[in-house]
């Protein structure tokens, strides 16, 4: 299907980004439709008052089985108003659990200032103490929830780990790593949309859900070259927190006060079930929490941390479906779908001594291998990948500038190779008329079959030979490019695709690099200096590629209406104007001296040998 015919499908591209990446950050926690289910009688205790450590009054709503007797409780901490938990809480009551939902301070009926990215741990620990004293509580408390609600579990566990039986952090946001993503790898315009949703005490869901409004606002700001610092006012939602984040764009922002330290992880002796997806916009955070906890915890505690990675986007980590996001094209096998609420409850039953270990958990890591329609198991995340296959970039001077006359991905670096040039013009907004697809909308929002961003002007393209045998990719891609540029800063985006034998494509990963952060700490580019730029934040993927497939790599400038624009000046990010803009000429080197290369992780798992009948 051509680019023009796809445009109609992308009218709500930003909406899909919102729903599937971090916008499902705000997705409802309601369970699936009840249908004809008859629930047990339940008591609802609205807006129970709980004192925070500093004396501020918090609001917690309780759902508990109406039958007499003491029961375990499952706590959720939310910025989205506790009424969202009602549907799921009824299912938990059916299983004999109370559910408690805490409105974080400043939201719902909780007092305080609604600054949504602060440490909720002390408040949650105070609510845990309150739960223990209630006549309906047996004193045992667990936590669950996705996205922001996954993050709050880690915040709580770092303050009072001994007060919790277990956690199920799902699609957990990690501040600075995935959401809010501020600084080293670009910053989402979406921050303003999410902050509008969580502005004030009540939910602004009608405004948040108006896809056309946000698409138009972001596109207008892009065309007008609006300084990013003005975006919150431009969309009608001025935000002190947004301004604080923008102030830190030119330096590495510090979110360490919101995440556990090594010492705090070491004290978390409780079992944990981490859940994420191949296309989950908060996958980077979920996996970072997992890796940090396993690395710092005792061997016994690390052995009780289980990880599940399915073929899901952000919302589907709570309600798995057979199709990716909004796509009607990308479908997975029947093994990819199961009842996540049932699985969560089975975990709680096991950890509360009410049932046995769920049959699904055959080892500590379970991941879905797309293309093979099967779950594969490993003892650790590191054990998933056996080795890597390295493809080196090679191209003649006339190659790589278009998809049908591309460069090559080969097994060894060329002794000598032409230098290829990319132009990055911050004032060129022509791509907006071709595709409004955000870089992560592709990988995380059901557009992984859409190749159009790979054909934008100034994008270089490289293809591997057709695979002589199936290849099982499992892990994170890594791309090293040797680049020189004539400006002190610029943004680049790289995408890796699988081109299947029937010529359809599936995006394997997307990553960006902002030049001034190429080595970590901010350091402006020396014009003309050839340096390695490492793209290592691709999403974790597991896919079996059939014989005859190809790998496609595209590299180009990042100039996207849903991202903070880099004007390439090396100046104060977020405050530059069109008058400051500079066109960057970026040279890609790829030869024996400068071996630009793509490293593809290969699964350690091999399929079972077929048996004769």
């Amino acid at each position: 299907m051509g680019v023009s015919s796809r445009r109609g499908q992308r009218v709500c591209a930003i909406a899909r980004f919102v729903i599937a990446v971090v916008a499902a950050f705000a997705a409802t926690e309601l369970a699936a439709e009840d249908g004809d289910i008859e629930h047990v009688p339940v008591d609802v205790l609205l807006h129970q008052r709980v004192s925070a450590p500093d004396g501020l009054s918090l609001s917690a709503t309780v759902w508990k089985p109406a039958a007499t007797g003491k029961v375990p409780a499952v706590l959720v901490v939310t910025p989205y108003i506790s009424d969202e938990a009602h549907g799921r809480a009824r299912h938990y009551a059916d299983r004999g659990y109370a559910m408690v939902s805490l409105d974080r301070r400043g939201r719902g009926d909780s007092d305080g200032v609604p600054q949504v990215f602060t440490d909720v741990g002390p408040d949650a620990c105070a609510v845990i103490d309150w739960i223990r004293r209630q006549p309906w509580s047996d004193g045992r408390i667990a936590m669950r929830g996705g996205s922001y609600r996954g993050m709050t579990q880690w915040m709580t566990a770092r303050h009072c780990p001994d007060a919790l039986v277990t956690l199920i952090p799902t699609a957990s946001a990690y501040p600075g790593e995935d959401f809010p993503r501020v600084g080293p790898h670009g910053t989402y315009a979406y921050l303003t949309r999410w902050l509008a949703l969580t502005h004030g005490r009540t939910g602004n869901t009608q405004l948040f859900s108006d896809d056309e409004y946000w698409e138009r606002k972001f596109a207008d700001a892009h065309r007008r070259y609006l300084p990013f610092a003005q975006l919150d006012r431009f969309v009608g939602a001025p935000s002190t927190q947004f301004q604080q984040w923008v102030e830190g764009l030119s330096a590495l922002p510090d979110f360490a006060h919101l995440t556990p330290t090594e010492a705090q992880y070491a004290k978390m002796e409780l079992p944990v079930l981490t859940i994420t997806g191949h296309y989950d916009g908060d996958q980077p955070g979920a996996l970072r929490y997992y890796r940090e906890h396993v690395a710092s915890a005792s061997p016994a505690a690390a052995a009780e941390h289980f990880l599940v990675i399915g073929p899901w986007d952000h919302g589907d980590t709570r309600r798995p479906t057979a199709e990716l996001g909004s796509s009607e094209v990308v479908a997975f096998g029947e093994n990819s779908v199961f009842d996540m609420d049932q699985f969560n409850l089975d975990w709680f039953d096991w950890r509360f001594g009410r049932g046995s270990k769920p049959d699904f958990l055959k080892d500590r890591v379970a991941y879905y291998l797309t293309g093979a329609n099967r779950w594969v198991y490993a003892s650790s995340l590191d054990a998933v990948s056996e080795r890597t296959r390295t493809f080196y970039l090679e191209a003649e001077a006339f190659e790589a500038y278009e998809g049908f006359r591309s460069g090559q991905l080969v097994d060894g670096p060329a002794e000598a190779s032409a230098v290829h040039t990319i132009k990055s013009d911050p004032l060129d907004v022509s791509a907006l008329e071709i595709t409004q697809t955000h870089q992560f909308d592709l990988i995380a929002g059901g557009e992984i079959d859409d190749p159009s961003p790979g054909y934008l002007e100034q994008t270089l393209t490289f293809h591997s030979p057709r695979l002589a045998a199936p290849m099982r990719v499992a892990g994170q891609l890594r791309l090293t490019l040797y680049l020189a540029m004539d400006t002190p800063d610029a943004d680049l985006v790289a995408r890796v695709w699988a081109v299947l034998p029937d010529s359809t494509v599936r995006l394997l990963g997307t990553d960006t690099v902002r030049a001034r952060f190429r080595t970590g700490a901010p350091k402006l580019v020396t014009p003309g200096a050839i340096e390695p730029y490492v793209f290592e934040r691709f999403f974790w993927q597991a896919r079996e590629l059939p014989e005859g497939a190809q790998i496609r790599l595209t590299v180009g400038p990042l100039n996207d209406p849903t991202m903070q624009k880099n004007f390439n000046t090396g100046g104060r990010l977020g405050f530059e104007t069109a008058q400051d803009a500079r066109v960057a000429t970026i040279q890609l080197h790829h030869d024996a001296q400068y071996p630009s290369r793509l490293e593809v992780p290969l699964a350690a798992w091999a399929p079972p040998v077929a048996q004769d009948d």
Side-chain angles (χ1 to χ4, degrees):
M1 186 177 293
V3 170
S4 60
S5 60
R6 281 188 176 273
R7 178 162 175 78
Q9 296 181 12
R10 285 195 299 273
V11 170
C12 294
I14 295 175
R16 284 193 294 273
F17 162 65
V18 170
I19 293 170
V21 191
V22 223
F25 219 76
T28 177
E29 284 288 279
L30 297 180
E33 292 295 327
D34 285 350
D36 296 327
I37 294 175
E38 183 175 345
H39 294 291
V40 302
V42 64
D43 291 333
V44 179
L45 310 175
L46 284 170
H47 308 314
Q48 303 298 291
R49 308 315 299 177
V50 182
S51 293
D54 60 0
L56 184 138
S57 179
L58 303 171
S59 173
T61 293
V62 178
W63 295 259
K64 68 178 186 67
T68 58
K70 296 178 181 293
V71 296
V74 177
L75 173 64
V76 178
V77 180
T78 183
Y80 304 123
I81 317 304
S82 289
D83 182 67
E84 67 167 356
H86 182 80
R88 179 164 280 116
R90 294 300 306 270
H91 287 276
Y92 274 56
D94 292 343
R95 198 75 164 251
Y97 292 97
M99 182 171 282
V100 181
S101 182
L102 169 65
D103 288 330
R104 66 146 300 135
R105 58 174 61 199
R107 295 288 292 162
D109 205 38
S110 287
D111 293 345
V113 177
Q115 190 170 13
V116 285
F117 269 93
T118 56
D119 185 4
V120 303
D123 290 352
C125 291
V127 172
I128 289 170
D129 288 339
W130 176 84
I131 293 172
R132 283 175 160 173
R133 298 193 302 270
Q134 301 312 299
W136 46 264
S137 170
D138 71 3
R140 297 181 297 167
I141 296 112
M143 293 186 74
R144 70 157 305 280
S147 200
Y148 189 104
R149 314 164 195 87
M151 174 189 70
T152 60
Q153 294 177 59
W154 291 107
M155 288 180 172
T156 305
R158 76 177 189 152
H159 289 284
C160 54
D162 295 339
L164 291 162
V165 173
T166 186
L167 307 176
I168 307 183
T170 302
S172 301
Y174 194 114
E177 183 73 18
D178 48 31
F179 192 83
R181 192 172 103 147
V182 180
H185 295 267
T187 303
Y188 302 127
Y190 168 74
L191 293 175
T192 57
R193 183 171 182 171
W194 187 82
L195 288 169
L197 171 69
T198 54
H199 181 79
R201 294 192 173 280
T202 60
N204 302 300
T205 53
Q206 295 301 312
L207 171 61
F208 176 80
S209 301
D210 188 343
D211 301 326
E212 188 277 333
Y213 176 82
W214 293 101
E215 180 178 347
R216 178 175 57 81
K217 280 294 188 181
F218 291 158
D220 285 351
H222 186 68
R223 291 188 182 96
R224 298 181 188 189
Y225 315 117
L226 187 78
F228 196 65
Q230 299 177 20
L231 185 62
D232 58 336
R233 290 175 174 80
F234 183 72
V235 301
S239 167
T240 300
Q241 190 146 65
F242 179 77
Q243 291 301 317
Q244 291 172 348
W245 289 339
V246 174
E247 286 288 338
L249 284 179
S250 295
L252 285 172
D254 184 10
F255 291 101
H257 62 292
L258 299 177
T259 56
T261 64
E262 290 183 11
Q264 290 170 331
Y265 279 123
K267 293 180 180 179
M268 297 180 194
E269 295 290 319
L270 70 169
V272 180
L273 172 60
T274 289
I275 300 170
T276 185
H278 298 172
Y279 312 103
D280 170 19
D282 284 327
Q283 183 207 90
L287 293 184
R288 182 167 177 179
Y289 286 121
Y290 168 80
R291 290 187 175 107
E292 290 178 347
H293 179 239
V294 168
S296 299
S298 68
E304 292 299 306
H305 194 150
F306 287 73
L307 172 65
V308 176
I309 310 177
W312 309 312
D313 65 15
H314 192 65
D316 281 355
T317 56
R318 280 144 283 173
R319 292 170 300 280
T321 62
E323 283 141 7
L324 178 59
S326 60
S327 175
E328 297 178 357
V329 177
V330 182
F332 304 108
E334 60 183 10
N335 289 336
S336 68
V337 181
F338 59 86
D339 187 332
M340 188 60 75
D341 278 320
Q342 179 72 28
F343 179 50
N344 281 200
L345 285 165
D346 289 347
W347 171 272
F348 284 136
D349 281 353
W350 179 32
R351 296 308 185 177
F352 280 106
R354 296 172 149 202
S356 58
K357 178 182 177 181
D359 292 339
F360 178 78
L361 297 175
K362 295 178 173 61
D363 210 334
R364 291 198 293 272
V365 174
Y367 69 92
Y368 184 84
L369 185 62
T370 303
N373 184 30
R374 64 173 295 158
W375 288 91
V376 184
Y377 295 87
S379 59
S380 69
L381 193 58
D382 290 340
V384 168
S385 300
E386 177 183 45
R387 56 189 175 86
T388 60
R389 180 171 177 182
T390 302
F391 294 94
Y392 293 86
L393 280 63
E394 181 180 272
E396 298 292 340
F398 60 88
E399 294 178 321
Y401 291 107
E402 57 181 80
F404 296 103
R405 192 162 50 181
S406 71
Q408 294 81 47
L409 297 173
V410 297
D411 290 332
E415 286 301 317
S417 187
V419 176
H420 288 76
T421 300
I422 300 169
K423 294 281 189 181
S424 172
D425 182 358
L427 303 186
D428 180 7
V429 296
S430 60
L432 187 63
E433 305 308 320
I434 301 173
T435 174
Q436 296 180 0
T437 304
H438 178 279
Q439 50 146 341
F440 282 127
D441 185 40
L442 287 163
I443 193 62
E447 290 290 332
I448 65 169
D449 62 318
D450 180 2
S452 58
Y455 295 119
L456 294 177
E457 190 176 4
Q458 300 299 333
T459 295
L460 301 179
T461 303
F462 299 82
H463 282 104
S464 75
R466 293 190 179 275
L467 300 177
M471 184 168 72
R472 298 174 189 89
V473 179
Q476 288 180 275
L477 303 161
R478 180 183 174 92
L479 175 67
T480 302
L481 300 179
Y482 286 86
L483 304 171
M485 60 186 68
D486 61 359
T487 56
D489 200 12
D491 289 352
L492 285 162
V493 57
R495 297 181 176 93
V496 181
W497 317 73
V499 183
L500 302 181
D502 64 359
S503 297
T504 60
V505 298
R506 295 292 183 265
L507 190 66
L508 296 179
T510 299
D511 193 17
T512 63
V513 165
R514 175 160 284 178
R516 72 170 70 192
F517 293 109
R518 64 200 178 282
T519 61
K523 180 183 177 183
L524 297 181
V525 174
T526 300
I530 303 173
E531 299 181 68
Y533 289 69
V534 180
F535 297 73
E536 55 186 354
R537 291 170 52 89
F538 291 96
F539 280 19
W540 198 100
Q541 281 283 305
R543 176 179 286 273
E544 182 175 79
L545 304 181
E547 177 183 345
Q550 293 176 281
I551 302 294
R552 173 187 293 162
L553 167 68
T554 63
V555 181
L558 178 64
N559 191 4
D560 189 295
T562 61
M563 295 289 284
Q564 178 260 320
K565 184 185 288 289
N566 189 342
F567 287 94
N568 301 342
T569 70
R572 190 183 178 198
L573 293 171
F575 295 88
E576 299 161 299
T577 68
Q579 287 70 39
D580 303 312
R582 293 180 59 181
V583 177
T585 300
I586 304 166
Q587 293 183 325
L588 170 62
H589 296 255
H590 43 90
D591 55 27
Q593 184 179 4
Y594 301 112
S596 293
R597 60 197 179 271
L598 172 66
E599 297 168 75
V600 179
L602 303 181
W605 170 79
V609 177
Q611 301 294 319
D612 293 335
D613 291 335

